[in-house]
Amino acid sequence: MPNPNDFAILFDASRCIGCKACQVACKQWNDLEAEHTRNAGGYANPPKLTASTWLAMRYYEGLRPDGEPYFDFVRGACMHCTHAPCVASCPTGAMAHREGGVVTVDQSTCIGCRSCVRACPYDAVHFDEERGVVQKCTMCYDRIANGDQPACVKACPTDALTFGRYQELQALAQERVRVLQARGYPRASVYGLKELGGTHVLYVLTDHPSQYGLPAAVREAEKRAMGGWLSAGIAAAVMGMGLKFIVDRREAFKGGRG
Amino acid sequence: MITLNFPNPMGEEGWGLWVALYFFLAGTGGGAYLISVLYCSQERVRRAALWAFVGVVLGSVLLILDLGQPLRFANLILGGVYPSSVMWLGTWFLLLSGAGLLWVMARPTSRGVQYLVAFLVALVVAYTAVLLTATARPFWNASPLLPWLFLASSATAGGALLQLLAPHERLKRLVVGMALVEGLMVALHLLWTYPVAQGAVLALLVGPLAWAFWGFVVLGWGIPLALERRHVGLAAVLTLVGAFLLRYFVVLAGQV
């Protein structure tokens, strides 16, 4: 669980109009270069996050099983997880939690090994080829540390983004879900309460998280690594002893005959 | 700030050729040492330690050159203690096993010391798999079999390397046995991960990585198994090629 007083962002998908003002504000404040992209057949552009795109809206459209059309938008960016896989996988301590639970990368100690890029289930960390280090959303730490809101929140014209303390935003999110469920969205839910120890960016969704391309069951990197070591230990023991047994037994047979 | 990016066919963000080559070098050298400690005579152990040392050192050099900031590589050791980071653990395993192998090579050592170093080497080989297992990529993390696959492949390739230097009947049986386990693990891993990583599995079977996958299956696994009785040397060389292709396609398929 994040600390009740931690910084947090709430994204309310039911209020989002998909205008990308947040995406542009992020680029402007953080001085991130525009990218050459191609039409990928959807509204998302760029199609995925990169070292110079820390926030990008994703769009999902189609027909529900009951024939009702849907057109949903979701914010794609760092979730600032409490048990962040990028932090766990960093071998130098460059990727770390700062005061207020915000995850940022120290660009003067990052060695560019890209472990965090592979570790992030939200694909929110990317390698900056020019600088040789990784880049990600900082929750506009330079702004929030001075009492301002993150650039994306400030730019949102429909109050789909809110910035505040974790405890307040968590209560706000749960209240909003109650309202949405009463208004005919039975699958409305809050995403990020349980994922990776609780994320500092919470999403209010009108449908199941998978409908928004959000990973439903994410495991902590530490647990994955422990599972891997355990599997490796069993593998080494079983295969080592198995081979020894087979080789020795064959040898014994030979000895008996010879 | 000095940036020194190593060319990478995957694009610089991906783990590509250099990481696969490093897994292969550390895996094969390490496998040769493990096999020799468990099943071979003393003088072979010291010779295998040399090969493992070369593998570990060359692998480490590739690992460092592949960094976005190679000159900051000392941060891996001096940056602090991060046991939850597989990359950090692996760095220490590489360092300690390198020192241990040097010791085994330099002077006659007791069996106990050799087993201790073998434990470190086994950790290096296993770490190359756990590094992938600990990520958020379904092709790498959905099945627990990647450590099995890399350990089996390291034993096969290490055995083949020893065969190449000095053929031995006992080694031949080992290599064939481990190659069969390796083949089984590849098949099981693909079946296990298919439901969650269809894109990766299809890329291997019929997609852009098919050349590496089928190259491994035919050239690096099937033909060596068939040739093991008659052309030991050729079989060993092909097995080594196969061990590299295996790591290459596993590393790339996870990032499809």
Side-chain angles (χ1 to χ4, degrees), chain A residues 110 114 127 131 231 244, chain B residues 5 13 38 66 69 72 144:
Chain A
C110 172
R114 288 104 75 214
F127 182 62
R131 296 189 178 88
S231 182
K244 188 106 184 147
Chain B
N5 291 330
E13 178 170 284
L38 288 174
D66 191 51
Q69 291 283 354
R72 292 185 191 163

Side-chain angles (χ1 to χ4, degrees), chain A residues 6-245:
Chain A
D6 277 357
F7 294 122
I9 291 177
L10 173 62
F11 167 74
D12 186 343
S14 68
R15 286 195 166 119
C16 179
I17 56 170
C19 70
K20 296 186 187 174
C22 50
Q23 194 176 323
V24 175
C26 174
K27 286 238 174 206
Q28 285 180 332
W29 177 258
N30 294 299
D31 203 10
L32 302 172
E33 263 176 57
E35 291 179 59
H36 285 282
T37 56
R38 285 157 188 245
N39 186 344
Y43 291 88
N45 183 30
K48 62 190 282 277
L49 300 174
T50 67
S52 58
T53 301
W54 299 348
L55 192 170
M57 294 300 299
R58 295 198 303 265
Y59 299 76
Y60 298 94
E61 56 188 312
L63 292 179
R64 289 186 209 286
D66 59 9
E68 191 75 7
Y70 65 88
F71 185 27
D72 291 330
F73 329 116
V74 73
R75 178 184 192 270
C78 174
M79 301 291 281
H80 296 279
C81 319
T82 300
H83 297 308
C86 58
V87 174
S89 68
C90 180
T92 66
M95 187 71 82
H97 287 99
R98 314 298 165 188
E99 217 175 305
V102 177
V103 178
T104 65
V105 58
D106 178 353
Q107 306 217 338
S108 64
T109 53
C110 172
I111 56 172
C113 73
R114 288 104 75 214
S115 287
C116 50
V117 178
R118 310 280 107 75
C120 179
Y122 303 104
D123 199 31
V125 191
H126 289 278
F127 182 62
D128 184 336
E129 298 187 1
E130 252 169 59
R131 296 189 178 88
V133 296
V134 295
Q135 302 275 5
K136 65 182 281 300
C137 160
T138 63
M139 209 190 266
C140 284
Y141 208 70
D142 46 354
R143 292 171 66 99
I144 60 178
N146 290 302
D148 205 348
Q149 299 179 322
C152 53
V153 177
K154 188 100 176 177
C156 182
T158 61
D159 283 345
L161 286 170
T162 316
F163 172 74
R165 300 287 166 183
Y166 182 80
Q167 199 172 27
E168 295 158 26
L169 293 194
Q170 185 194 14
L172 202 63
Q174 280 161 336
E175 177 52 35
R176 179 67 182 160
V177 162
R178 269 192 291 277
V179 170
L180 285 171
Q181 282 176 339
R183 284 196 195 162
Y185 294 96
R187 285 187 301 278
S189 65
V190 184
Y191 182 87
L193 294 176
K194 291 195 193 80
E195 281 75 14
L196 299 166
T199 58
H200 288 80
V201 180
L202 294 172
Y203 285 2
V204 167
L205 304 174
T206 55
D207 207 334
H208 192 264
S210 62
Q211 193 69 28
Y212 295 88
L214 291 166
V218 280
R219 286 185 71 201
E220 276 100 353
E222 294 95 323
K223 286 185 188 160
R224 286 208 170 106
M226 282 312 294
W229 290 118
L230 185 67
S231 182
I234 297 170
V238 169
M239 292 195 290
M241 289 198 294
L243 270 188
K244 188 106 184 147
F245 177 71

Side-chain angles (χ1 to χ4, degrees), chain B residues 99-159:
Chain B
L101 288 167
L102 207 57
W103 188 12
V104 170
M105 232 159 54
R107 52 205 241 351
T109 38
S110 68
R111 268 290 188 204
V113 171
Q114 289 175 359
Y115 272 108
L116 184 71
V117 175
F119 179 67
L120 290 169
V121 169
L123 284 173
V124 168
V125 174
Y127 131 79
T128 60
V130 179
L131 183 67
L132 303 182
T133 309
T135 64
R137 308 289 162 126
F139 181 71
W140 291 338
N141 71 24
S143 115
L145 295 179
L146 224 44
W148 290 74
L149 175 55
F150 276 24
L151 278 165
S153 162
S154 292
T156 312

